[in-house]
Amino acid sequence: MKIGYHTVLLAIPIDFFTEEALFRALQTCSKELNAKFYKKEWGNISWTTFELFKDNGLLVYLKDYHYRSDDQKFVYKVLEIRLNPKRLSDKHQYVEVSDYGDYKTISKAFKKLLNPVKRVYKQIRLSAFNRFISPFVFDDISIYKVDRIDYCVNIQTPYMDRYMELIRRADKPKTFEMCLEDNPRTKRKEPYKNAFRIENQSVLVHFYNKRFQMAQVFGDKFPDLREAEQIIRLEVQCKKRKVNNLKYYYGIEGRSLLDFSREELSEKVLLSYYEKTVGYEDYYTLQEARRLISDSDFKLKDRECMIEILELINRKRSVWKARDEYEGRKKRFNEAVKHIKKWA
């Protein structure tokens, strides 16, 4: 069971002249490879996406962040790269995760993949005779800052279906919202199938059946799903706000991929959100749980409250659903759940 990370978003600020040269280089290479590139806008952000390395798990974005200060307009330009490191050297590797020990391999594969862009960029820089265009250093993964990292672990078990059924009843911590998807049959938004997915402004927590997820993404085009058999993937996507929080909380000096890929950090983040959602307690049948509570040394009033809430959770098949529909005080509900976990 390897603990590590799956997807990262890397960023580096650039200036106008460098962005223009990068755009031309990426455009040229895209046309040579017959790859897509397209522009988009959202709010005060505009960007161009380049898909020339998509088959190797890498997307390139040239982004402009537009903002105002003292009644003046400014543009912050950045090169962003979204990367699945395992696919750099094996584009058909969709299941394995990367870790600290893979960094040298990732760094070499990253440099090799960007070599065509580097070649064209150098030609553009020489022909332009523009000293404001920066030298090409964008194939050095160590200069990028991490703006997002998805810590994850693959848990393989023959009881995957049963565990996923239980995980989908997990708790939803404060500030988190349940992620929903459209159900074409009911025309409603519902929780994801074969998954437990919650999100706030800093973090996305995702437990899912890896084989089911890959079948949805690839359909008949994916050649072999056996490597994803019986795997539950726990993924904690740390967005930029959370990355900053981790940096200061754990005293991380830099913001590079190497800084954030350490196994100890990966493990702490994953275990933290596992505890907040699924928890470390054992599972019991309703009948067995009621008996344990009835035989406990809690006051009669507290035992009755715990059993009442336990039965509500069982009916709603989820802690968070039961909390949302509980008619009493939320504090009373949370205290009862805390007592139940402690006793279990």
Side-chain angles (χ1 to χ4, degrees):
M1 186 170 66
K2 188 175 180 180
I3 294 175
Y5 60 95
H6 180 257
T7 303
V8 292
L9 182 65
L10 307 173
I12 184 172
I14 53 178
D15 57 42
F16 172 84
F17 299 103
T18 302
E19 182 192 48
E20 188 177 34
L22 267 175
F23 181 89
R24 288 174 59 192
L26 288 162
Q27 184 184 50
T28 300
C29 292
S30 295
K31 289 178 178 178
E32 288 176 358
L33 296 171
N34 196 27
K36 289 182 181 179
F37 62 95
Y38 45 88
K39 292 186 176 183
K40 282 192 174 183
E41 282 186 39
W42 186 75
N44 65 336
I45 308 170
S46 58
W47 69 94
T48 304
T49 301
F50 294 89
E51 295 187 353
L52 69 166
F53 303 123
K54 185 178 180 180
D55 287 345
N56 292 91
L58 189 151
L59 290 174
V60 180
Y61 307 98
L62 290 179
K63 282 192 176 181
D64 289 348
Y65 291 84
H66 304 267
Y67 65 97
R68 284 179 173 272
S69 180
D70 297 327
D71 293 328
Q72 290 187 321
K73 292 181 180 180
F74 295 91
V75 180
Y76 174 71
K77 295 179 177 293
V78 62
L79 165 64
E80 290 184 353
I81 290 181
R82 196 183 79 185
L83 173 66
N84 177 334
K86 274 293 177 186
R87 293 182 62 199
L88 282 178
S89 49
D90 181 359
K91 62 183 180 181
H92 298 298
Q93 182 50 258
Y94 298 100
V95 178
E96 285 190 25
V97 303
S98 302
D99 65 9
Y100 186 80
D102 296 323
Y103 182 77
K104 285 186 178 179
T105 302
I106 293 166
S107 182
K108 288 179 181 178
F110 186 80
K111 186 178 285 289
K112 183 180 178 181
L113 192 66
L114 290 179
N115 193 57
V117 180
K118 182 177 184 177
R119 172 180 51 81
V120 177
Y121 182 92
K122 281 185 173 181
Q123 293 172 355
I124 292 169
R125 187 167 181 255
L126 287 171
S127 63
F129 296 107
N130 189 336
R131 62 188 178 88
F132 294 109
I133 300 175
S134 301
F136 192 91
V137 293
F138 309 109
D139 58 346
D140 180 358
I141 203 167
S142 69
I143 68 172
Y144 290 83
K145 290 183 177 181
V146 174
D147 272 358
R148 169 191 145 192
I149 184 165
D150 298 2
Y151 294 115
C152 61
V153 60
N154 292 328
I155 304 165
Q156 192 162 28
T157 169
Y159 307 107
M160 180 192 63
D161 291 337
R162 179 58 178 152
Y163 278 123
M164 277 308 311
E165 182 184 341
L166 293 169
I167 287 169
R168 293 183 77 242
R169 303 183 189 190
D171 202 358
K172 176 166 61 76
K174 191 177 180 181
T175 78
F176 279 83
E177 295 295 331
M178 186 63 57
C179 297
L180 306 174
E181 64 176 346
D182 293 320
N183 185 323
R185 186 175 62 82
T186 63
K187 308 297 182 184
R188 294 180 181 178
K189 287 190 175 293
E190 298 177 358
Y192 281 74
K193 288 183 179 179
N194 287 297
F196 176 80
R197 184 181 174 103
I198 58 174
E199 184 176 21
N200 65 14
Q201 291 183 326
S202 303
V203 176
L204 187 149
V205 180
H206 196 189
F207 291 84
Y208 56 96
N209 175 330
K210 185 60 181 172
R211 186 184 187 280
F212 181 82
Q213 177 260 346
M214 290 176 67
Q216 281 189 312
V217 172
F218 297 102
D220 296 333
K221 293 182 180 179
F222 191 72
D224 189 359
L225 295 175
R226 283 179 295 178
E227 62 177 320
E229 289 283 355
Q230 300 181 336
I231 287 178
I232 298 172
R233 164 74 62 83
L234 164 56
E235 202 166 275
V236 177
Q237 181 188 118
C238 299
K239 305 174 191 179
K240 190 172 184 178
R241 181 184 291 189
K242 183 64 178 180
V243 169
N244 288 333
N245 178 269
L246 291 174
K247 175 178 169 60
Y248 294 114
Y249 186 81
Y250 290 108
I252 300 169
E253 291 186 8
R255 273 280 294 275
S256 72
L257 178 59
L258 188 63
D259 292 317
F260 281 89
S261 65
R262 299 182 185 277
E263 186 175 342
E264 183 183 6
L265 179 60
S266 306
E267 186 174 334
K268 283 180 178 178
V269 172
L270 289 167
L271 288 177
S272 170
Y273 286 97
Y274 184 90
E275 182 180 15
K276 291 174 183 176
T277 53
V278 174
Y280 298 136
E281 298 78 23
D282 294 331
Y283 283 102
Y284 295 97
T285 63
L286 176 62
Q287 183 178 359
E288 193 173 8
R290 288 177 64 178
R291 180 183 60 77
L292 286 170
I293 292 169
S294 296
D295 293 344
S296 71
D297 55 3
F298 286 102
K299 294 178 181 178
L300 177 61
K301 186 178 179 180
D302 291 334
R303 278 181 280 160
E304 289 174 346
C305 177
M306 290 162 67
I307 290 173
E308 174 197 356
I309 286 171
L310 196 64
E311 289 175 343
L312 178 62
I313 292 170
N314 186 65
R315 287 198 304 275
K316 298 301 176 184
R317 305 180 71 81
S318 166
V319 176
W320 66 271
K321 281 185 181 178
R323 182 186 288 107
D324 286 348
E325 298 192 25
Y326 183 61
E327 294 180 356
R329 292 183 300 114
K330 292 295 186 286
K331 184 177 179 181
R332 186 179 184 220
F333 181 98
N334 291 333
E335 285 177 350
V337 170
K338 188 177 179 181
H339 289 324
I340 292 168
K341 286 184 175 183
K342 185 178 179 181
W343 191 252

